[in-house]
């Protein structure tokens, strides 16, 4: 990594810490970069002690970690933030939940930009917004541990109830310190009944003090309806708490006009091909980013033939 780029990262770090009124120690915890490395870089020192009076140069990987944590792009970006209807509704829902301690559910089809928008929002409020993804194999214990990891809670508490108590205590502490905490549960279509009950327990303890956002595809509501029909323990109570907080995102605009305009794509054959082959914004990203990057390297034009060649696509 060139010295000029390293210096730019350090300058961007300083601006980030000032913008978010964040201490170096707090940033070290969030980024995973040792506090001594952060301190040395901020003081203009590009080395760190290796013991025995020896100094070694700070490795490139730490600059890369810092860049990732502050969203400093190390390479050219081929994807831009587009203010789609889905993005605007999701952002306003996230903002309302954070500011007022609401609990909301954001429902959108696969590839509608839900996760992209949530990640964007979380980067904007690093002190207050804590995001985690639900995996298909997650148990309630896994989800509770993910919440604690996201909040950076170091606790020896054993058992689900004790851990939830620690989470509530931490969130209340953040609120008393002037923060507006928000927890985001992404990919919640994989959420199981015990996890829903755990969120209900959180809601009852922190309603109005900490926002909760649950993000999922329509499958989440179908799963919830199935559990309601079976009258599973805790599910009617959980549903009552989210019923009027459900926000449905519009269907994806498969003309992708906003994206083509922003990326200056005007070739009608390319536009027709992409609009026919891509079903959502996620697939559009998966086509354009690698293709535009490769075309930058080769100097070739954006054509249907080149798209198919670069992606080895035969659809």
């Amino acid at each position: 990594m060139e010295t000029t780029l390293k210096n730019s990262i350090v300058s961007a770090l300083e601006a980030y810490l000032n913008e978010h009124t964040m201490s170096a120690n707090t940033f070290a915890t969030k980024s995973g970069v040792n506090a001594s490395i952060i301190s040395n870089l901020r003081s203009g020192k590009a080395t760190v002690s290796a013991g025995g009076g020896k100094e070694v140069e700070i490795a490139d990987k730490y600059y890369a970690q810092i860049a990732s944590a502050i969203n400093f792009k190390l390479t050219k970006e081929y994807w831009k933030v587009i203010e789609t209807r889905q993005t605007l509704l999701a952002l306003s829902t996230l903002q309302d939940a954070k500011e007022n301690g609401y609990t909301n559910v954001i429902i959108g089809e696969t590839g509608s930009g839900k996760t992209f928008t949530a990640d964007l929002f979380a980067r904007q409020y690093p002190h207050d917004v804590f995001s985690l993804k639900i995996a298909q194999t997650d148990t309630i214990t896994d989800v509770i541990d993910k919440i604690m990891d996201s909040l950076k809670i170091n606790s020896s508490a054993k058992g689900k109830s004790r851990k939830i108590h620690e989470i509530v205590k931490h969130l209340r502490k953040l609120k008393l310190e002037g923060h507006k905490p928000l927890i985001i549960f992404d990919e919640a279509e994989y959420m199981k009944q015990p996890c829903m009950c755990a969120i209900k327990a959180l809601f009852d303890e922190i309603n109005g003090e900490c926002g909760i956002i649950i993000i999922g595809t329509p499958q989440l509501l179908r799963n919830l309806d199935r559990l309601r029909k079976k009258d599973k323990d805790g599910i009617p109570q959980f549903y009552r708490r989210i019923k009027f907080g459900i926000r449905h995102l519009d269907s994806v605009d498969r003309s992708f006009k906003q994206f083509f305009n922003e990326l200056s794509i005007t070739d009608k054959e390319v536009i027709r091909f992409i609009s026919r082959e891509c079903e959502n914004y996620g697939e559009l990203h998966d086509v354009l980013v690698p293709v535009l990057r490769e075309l930058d390297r080769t100097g070739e034009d954006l054509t249907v033939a080149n798209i198919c060649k670069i992606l080895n696509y035969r659809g």
Side-chain angles (χ1 to χ4, degrees):
M1 189 179 291
E2 295 183 358
T3 301
T4 303
L5 180 56
K6 291 180 179 179
N7 291 338
S8 296
I9 293 171
V10 175
S11 296
L13 168 63
E14 200 64 39
Y16 180 90
L17 295 177
N18 289 332
E19 178 186 354
H20 297 289
T21 321
M22 185 181 291
S23 70
N25 284 337
T26 299
F27 180 79
T29 300
K30 293 185 75 68
S31 66
V33 178
N34 190 283
S36 63
I37 292 177
I38 301 295
S39 178
N40 283 10
L41 290 175
R42 296 184 71 199
S43 64
K45 190 177 178 182
T47 61
V48 66
S49 173
K54 293 182 179 180
E55 294 280 323
V56 296
E57 189 173 355
I58 294 172
D60 288 359
K61 67 178 182 179
Y62 296 115
Y63 290 94
Q65 271 183 262
I66 292 169
S68 176
I70 65 176
N71 200 32
F72 180 95
K73 301 302 180 184
L74 296 175
T75 57
K76 179 179 176 179
E77 286 192 273
Y78 294 92
W79 189 255
K80 297 183 179 181
V81 177
I82 307 295
E83 292 186 345
T84 64
R85 296 192 307 273
Q86 296 83 4
T87 294
L88 293 175
L89 177 56
L91 281 175
S92 66
T93 303
L94 287 158
Q95 192 70 52
D96 283 349
K98 176 182 173 296
E99 292 300 315
N100 302 295
Y102 292 160
T103 293
N104 288 111
V105 180
I106 297 175
I107 299 296
E109 58 193 80
T110 297
S112 59
K114 305 182 299 299
T115 296
F116 179 82
T117 304
D119 289 345
L120 189 72
F121 189 78
R123 288 196 298 270
Q124 187 178 352
Y125 298 101
H127 285 299
D128 294 4
V129 180
F130 310 94
S131 182
L132 60 124
K133 286 182 171 59
I134 307 295
Q136 192 168 14
T137 57
D138 278 350
T139 65
I140 182 174
T141 300
D142 295 327
V143 173
I144 291 172
D145 286 343
K146 284 184 176 181
I147 299 173
M148 296 185 77
D149 289 343
S150 179
L151 292 168
K152 306 296 183 186
I153 298 175
N154 293 317
S155 172
S156 58
K158 303 294 184 183
K160 295 184 285 290
S161 295
R162 289 299 306 166
K163 289 181 177 180
I164 290 176
H165 174 74
E166 290 293 313
I167 291 167
V168 170
K169 185 169 69 173
H170 183 82
L171 292 170
R172 284 177 175 162
K173 179 175 179 289
L174 288 176
K175 183 69 173 178
L176 288 172
E177 291 173 349
H179 297 289
K180 296 178 179 179
L182 173 70
I183 300 178
I184 300 173
F185 297 89
D186 196 7
E187 299 188 7
E189 60 269 21
Y190 296 124
M191 195 178 286
K192 299 179 177 66
Q193 175 197 358
C195 181
M196 294 179 184
C197 293
I199 293 177
K200 179 259 179 191
L202 267 181
F203 174 96
D204 290 344
E205 293 287 348
I206 59 175
N207 185 31
E209 298 180 85
C210 172
I212 296 174
I213 289 285
I214 301 169
I215 299 176
T217 65
Q219 185 181 9
L220 169 62
L221 296 184
R222 291 196 295 271
N223 292 341
L224 184 54
D225 284 342
R226 177 174 51 80
L227 293 170
R228 288 172 61 211
K229 287 175 182 177
K230 293 182 177 180
D231 199 25
K232 291 290 186 178
D233 291 346
I235 295 303
Q237 295 85 347
F238 172 75
Y239 182 71
R240 186 187 69 76
R241 285 157 176 78
I242 66 168
K243 180 178 179 179
F244 293 107
I246 298 172
R247 305 289 181 264
H248 293 270
L249 303 185
D250 290 344
S251 297
V252 169
D253 174 13
R254 289 188 58 185
S255 74
F256 305 124
K257 288 181 181 178
Q258 287 178 275
F259 293 88
F260 293 140
N261 290 339
E262 189 67 31
L263 296 168
S264 301
I265 296 173
T266 57
D267 186 296
K268 291 182 179 179
E269 185 181 354
V270 169
I271 290 172
R272 283 195 296 270
F273 173 80
I274 291 177
S275 297
R276 183 178 70 244
E277 299 298 323
C278 294
E279 296 187 2
N280 52 59
Y281 304 139
E283 290 187 0
L284 181 69
H285 171 279
D286 293 344
V287 168
L288 289 179
V289 170
V291 168
L292 293 176
R293 182 179 289 119
E294 179 63 14
L295 293 178
D296 250 5
R297 187 186 69 82
T298 63
E300 296 179 279
D301 293 330
L302 179 64
T303 64
V304 172
N306 281 334
I307 291 173
C308 293
K309 179 180 70 174
I310 292 168
L311 298 178
N312 192 25
Y313 183 71
R314 302 176 183 179

